[in-house]
Amino acid sequence: IKLEAVEKVNQVNDSKELQEVKVAYLGKKGSLTGVLRGMGKLSKEERPVIGEIANQVRETITSAIEEKSKVLEEKALEEKLQAEAIDVTLPGRPVKAGGPHLLTSIVEEIEDLFIGMGFEVREGPEVETDYFNFEALNLPKDHPARDMQDTFYITNELLMRTHTSPVQARTMQSYGGSKPFKMICPGKVYRRDTDDATHSHQFTQIEGLYVDKDVKMSDLKGVLDVFAKKMFGQDREIRLRPSFFPFTEPSVEMDISCKSCDGQGCSVCKGTGWIEILGAGMVHPNVLSMAGYDPNVYSGFAFGMGPERIAMLKYGVNDIRQFYLNDVRFLKQFHNA
Ligand code: FA5
């Protein structure tokens, strides 16, 4: 039995076969187990002799199996390592790197510029109350100027904000009517505008507000001038036009010359040579007092600009809808913008 078993163990090629051999000799019905079971029938004298031999045989077979098992394990490991070997000389598969959206870059650039002039960055809700979006900005119910911004209403009192100006009132309230401050607020706004090359029903605005004891129109002009020159370079022309907003008095709009498309027949400038990028003005006394600031002590200026249009001018984008189509061919041109 011993020789036969050891021979079989040597011939085995994998752990399954080894297990079969083990069962055949040492298992419950195995041949060696059979011998051990038969011991009871032996005489007193034969029993210890045969018993010792049987034990030796069992030990020999067991250790042969164990050794073989180790050899097989090592062989399996070796094969696994071979199969998983990494060829470091193969060429790599490049991963395409993403980058910030042009609009994100422009908003961050504008933020940095105003942070540099001492403005803090604020946020406000996109679902806004009628009070903050209109009433607190001197636009009572039924005021005809509400028609200037076609609104998506959710309920009678709740709407998608049509501009970032409600954050003016929210910020003033948070300062309790007693502290001077400078803030900007970037964010999404919504209007029932028909989409075209320069209008989108959802777009971005950046609000600016400076409230202090002696803020003048010339401060507004100075800040807008620094902004425009830094953003577009010295060679762009800037013009301020008198305008109307219920929350500012006097009010202006700022246009930038349209060099990228020479004005004529261009979809951005509609042939005029100019594109409007922001509305601004001196904060209306009613707006100050509704938010708790005494208009006899405090004054302020405010502006609201459209970063999409600023990016269009700066990078020669001829259709605002490009910002929202998510066409990677368009977007990746500006990854280093
Ligand atoms: C306003 O929204 C005022 N809240 C701005 C303001 C703030 C005035 C503070 C005074 C004081 P207006 O509707 O003109 O104004 O929009 C401001 C800017 O947003 C525009 O100059 C333009 O750059 C951009 N804009 C307006 N409508 C759209 C639109 N449909 N698509 C893309 N950009 C737009």
Side-chain angles (χ1 to χ4, degrees), residues 148-149 162-165 168 191 193 198-201 203-205 207-208 245 247-248 253 276-281 302-306 308-309 320:
M148 285 164 75
Q149 299 173 356
T162 56
H163 50 180
T164 42
S165 298
Q168 286 189 31
R191 288 188 200 176
D193 276 353
T198 53
H199 292 82
S200 174
H201 57 280
F203 59 103
T204 316
Q205 279 193 341
E207 195 77 12
F245 297 102
F247 31 94
T248 47
E253 275 176 327
E276 173 206 316
I277 60 153
L278 62 85
F303 56 81
M305 59 177 75
E308 280 92 345
R309 293 196 184 169
I320 197 169

Side-chain angles (χ1 to χ4, degrees), residues 67-95:
E67 237 161 72
K68 185 74 185 187
S69 164
K70 267 190 210 149
V71 171
L72 285 176
E73 264 173 37
E74 272 167 25
K75 202 175 128 207
L77 184 68
E78 191 70 19
E79 276 167 12
K80 204 174 163 212
L81 285 174
Q82 285 276 327
E84 288 177 1
I86 295 169
D87 181 354
V88 290
T89 63
L90 280 175
R93 282 182 222 144
V95 176

